[in-house]
């Protein structure tokens, strides 16, 4: 918890530890031969190492790591970064425990890309099967909610990537947050519900409902886990609910190649569903060439809030970019109207 306090207050803008010299931490990292592709990860480890040094200097030793042992059964995840030569008066067990946490922090939590770190947990480490079971349960939960919108449904490599991310995050939280709830900012602050996506809320719902006695750290860190996984899951899951799609109808002379270009363009947007020409009731946008603009009697078949975009079949590339921008605006407006409607329902 101390790391999160320091990181989110100072966020590498300045060195916050008066007791520890920053260059001494740089020397520890250099001596251990640790290199970073990501400078943010470098700063994160420096903060964590500084906190470890403060514990050792003040002799506030970590005597036991019961939750670490539940996961890894006392396995060491990496080399000794803090060595006994540097801390000769520190008991060996305390130094080993400190190194376990440092390696857990370095290799488990803060490198969210599979290309940046393909083995987030040491390849030789065996993990308690109950954590894999929880991850499988979470994957089933996602499949139930997102069905074919979840690419993992069809791709085993993607499934492995998601399981890696989730395993890393829940194991870290299980070990680091067993005693108290971790709130960086409250998810349910009054008036802020609309700032969270449905996917974020679904992830939070799952992890805030795990068995508090069996997975105390995961339960306590449900909010933080949701924030972490939301950085990753949208790459694999369409987070757009079906009811939020905008329905687009394209009416252009089918003998003109512009019709196919328009259709191909709008289908690139994940929030667009193209509807057949015989559909009228559920249409948000009508894209139509100038020669087939709907007559007043035809307009009555469509919803009152139908947006008509007239299209010149000789349009150039910038015109198609403009079209995408207009569709995005319509989608955003639809979501805002949904939020306003939900607020009104809550008031009633």
């Amino acid at each position: 918890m101390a790391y999160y306090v320091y990181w989110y207050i100072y966020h590498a803008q300045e060195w916050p530890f008066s007791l520890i010299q920053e260059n001494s931490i740089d020397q520890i990292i250099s001596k251990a031969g640790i290199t970073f592709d990501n400078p943010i990860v470098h700063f994160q480890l420096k903060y964590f190492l500084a906190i470890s040094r403060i514990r050792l200097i003040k002799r506030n030793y970590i005597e036991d790591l019961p939750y670490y042992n539940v996961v890894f059964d006392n396995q060491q995840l990496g080399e000794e970064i803090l060595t006994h030569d540097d801390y000769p008066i520190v008991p060996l067990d305390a130094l080993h425990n400190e190194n376990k946490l440092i390696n857990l922090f370095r290799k488990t939590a803060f490198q969210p890309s599979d290309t940046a770190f393909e083995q987030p947990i040491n390849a030789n480490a065996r993990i308690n099967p109950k954590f894999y079971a929880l991850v499988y349960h979470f994957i089933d939960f996602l499949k139930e909610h997102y069905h074919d919108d979840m690419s993992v449904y069809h791709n085993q490599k993607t499934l492995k990537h998601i399981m890696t991310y989730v395993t890393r995050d829940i194991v870290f939280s299980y070990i680091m947050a067993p005693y108290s709830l971790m709130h960086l900012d409250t998810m349910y602050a009054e008036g802020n519900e609309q700032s969270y996506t449905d996917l974020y809320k679904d992830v939070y719902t799952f992890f805030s409902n795990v068995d508090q006695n069996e997975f105390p750290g995961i339960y306590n860190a449900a909010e933080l886990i949701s924030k972490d996984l939301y950085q990753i899951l949208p790459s694999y899951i369409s987070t757009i609910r079906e009811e939020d799609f905008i329905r687009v109808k394209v009416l252009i002379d089918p003998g003109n190649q512009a019709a196919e270009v328009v259709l191909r363009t709008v289908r690139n947007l994940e929030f667009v569903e193209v509807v057949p020409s015989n559909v009228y009731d559920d249409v948000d946008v009508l894209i139509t060439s100038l020669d087939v603009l709907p007559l007043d009697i035809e307009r009555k078949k469509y919803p009152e809030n139908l947006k008509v975009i007239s299209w010149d079949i000789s349009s150039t590339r910038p015109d198609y970019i403009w079209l995408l921008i207009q569709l995005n605006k319509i989608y955003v407006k639809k979501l805002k109207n949904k939020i306003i409607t939900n607020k009104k329902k809550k008031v009633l």
Side-chain angles (χ1 to χ4, degrees):
M1 179 60 80
Y3 161 79
Y4 290 107
V5 173
Y6 278 110
W7 181 255
Y8 282 93
I9 290 177
Y10 294 96
H11 206 65
Q13 297 301 309
E14 59 182 289
W15 186 249
F17 306 98
S18 58
L19 186 62
I20 304 297
Q21 295 297 314
E22 186 174 4
N23 63 352
S24 68
I25 301 300
D26 290 330
Q27 290 171 8
I28 292 173
I29 292 174
S30 177
K31 183 178 178 181
I34 302 172
T35 58
F36 304 92
D37 295 326
N38 186 334
I40 302 301
V41 177
H42 184 189
F43 278 114
Q44 289 174 331
L45 181 60
K46 286 173 65 170
Y47 273 42
F48 200 79
L49 278 168
I51 293 169
S52 287
R53 288 209 66 184
I54 291 172
R55 274 198 295 263
L56 296 177
I57 290 171
K58 294 190 173 183
R59 301 186 182 184
N60 185 21
Y61 302 140
I62 299 174
E63 296 181 358
D64 195 13
L65 289 173
Y67 293 96
Y68 179 100
N69 292 337
V70 169
V71 179
F72 297 111
D73 192 25
N74 205 33
Q75 297 171 89
Q76 195 81 13
L77 296 183
E79 65 278 6
E80 297 281 320
I81 297 173
L82 301 177
T83 67
H84 196 251
D85 290 340
D86 297 324
Y87 298 91
I89 66 171
V90 176
L92 281 176
D93 286 347
L95 203 58
H96 287 329
N97 285 337
E98 204 67 58
N99 278 302
K100 286 177 183 178
L101 289 188
I102 292 170
N103 280 300
L104 172 71
F105 185 96
R106 180 168 70 91
K107 294 192 173 185
T108 303
F110 295 99
Q111 301 197 52
S113 169
D114 60 312
T115 56
F117 200 80
E118 295 186 2
Q119 295 290 346
I121 296 174
N122 188 287
N124 297 320
R126 299 176 305 278
I127 300 174
N128 188 318
K130 77 174 186 178
F131 295 97
Y132 287 132
L134 181 62
V135 173
Y136 275 114
H137 187 192
F138 177 64
I139 296 297
D140 289 340
F141 172 84
L142 292 178
K143 287 181 178 179
E144 181 181 347
H145 277 66
Y146 294 96
H147 307 293
D148 285 349
D149 291 334
M150 184 174 173
S151 60
V152 68
Y153 202 79
H154 309 285
N155 189 323
Q156 289 302 307
K157 183 178 180 181
T158 304
L159 173 61
K160 180 181 178 181
H161 284 177
I162 293 181
M163 291 186 66
T164 298
Y165 298 142
V166 178
T167 303
R168 171 194 309 158
D169 220 38
I170 67 171
V171 162
F172 183 83
S173 297
Y174 179 86
I175 294 170
M176 301 301 289
Y179 302 114
S180 61
L181 289 173
M182 297 184 68
H183 288 298
L184 301 183
D185 53 24
T186 179
M187 174 178 170
Y188 293 112
E190 186 176 356
N192 287 338
E193 294 91 338
Q194 70 270 24
S195 65
Y196 295 91
T197 68
D198 290 327
L199 175 60
Y200 179 95
K201 292 177 181 178
D202 287 340
V203 175
Y204 179 82
T205 296
F206 178 88
F207 287 106
S208 62
N209 283 282
V210 299
D211 189 318
Q212 188 175 359
N213 294 319
E214 185 176 8
F215 301 107
I218 296 172
Y219 175 87
N220 289 338
E223 191 173 319
L224 183 61
I225 292 171
S226 303
K227 291 177 184 293
D228 290 344
L229 295 184
Y230 183 65
Q231 309 305 312
I232 297 164
L233 291 177
S235 298
Y236 300 102
I237 300 172
S238 173
T239 60
I240 303 170
R241 300 285 192 181
E242 185 177 352
E243 64 267 20
D244 294 332
F245 277 44
I246 60 171
R247 272 69 182 180
V248 177
K249 185 173 178 178
V250 178
L251 290 179
I252 298 176
D253 177 6
N256 193 300
Q257 64 179 5
E260 180 57 35
V261 178
V262 171
L263 285 168
R264 188 166 65 245
T265 300
V266 300
R267 282 180 174 140
N268 285 329
L269 298 173
E270 292 185 354
F271 53 80
V272 166
E273 178 186 345
V274 177
V275 300
S277 59
N278 62 343
V279 171
Y280 294 91
D281 294 336
D282 192 12
V283 181
D284 298 295
V285 182
L286 175 63
I287 303 174
T288 175
S289 55
L290 298 175
D291 56 342
V292 287
L293 283 171
L295 302 173
D296 289 342
I297 190 171
E298 293 173 321
R299 285 292 299 268
K300 292 181 180 179
K301 296 180 181 180
Y302 293 100
E304 291 183 4
N305 59 351
L306 175 73
K307 173 71 174 178
V308 178
I309 298 178
S310 57
W311 194 251
D312 185 343
I313 58 175
S314 63
S315 294
T316 59
R317 181 177 176 83
D319 298 313
Y320 284 94
I321 295 174
W322 173 87
L323 176 61
L324 295 177
I325 294 172
Q326 299 310 305
L327 293 175
N328 185 72
K329 288 181 178 179
I330 293 168
Y331 169 66
V332 171
K333 183 178 180 180
K334 184 173 183 178
L335 291 184
K336 287 183 177 178
N337 289 339
K338 178 183 176 181
I339 292 170
I340 292 172
T341 301
N342 288 338
K343 279 187 174 181
K344 289 180 179 178
K345 288 181 180 178
K346 285 183 179 181
V347 171
L348 295 176

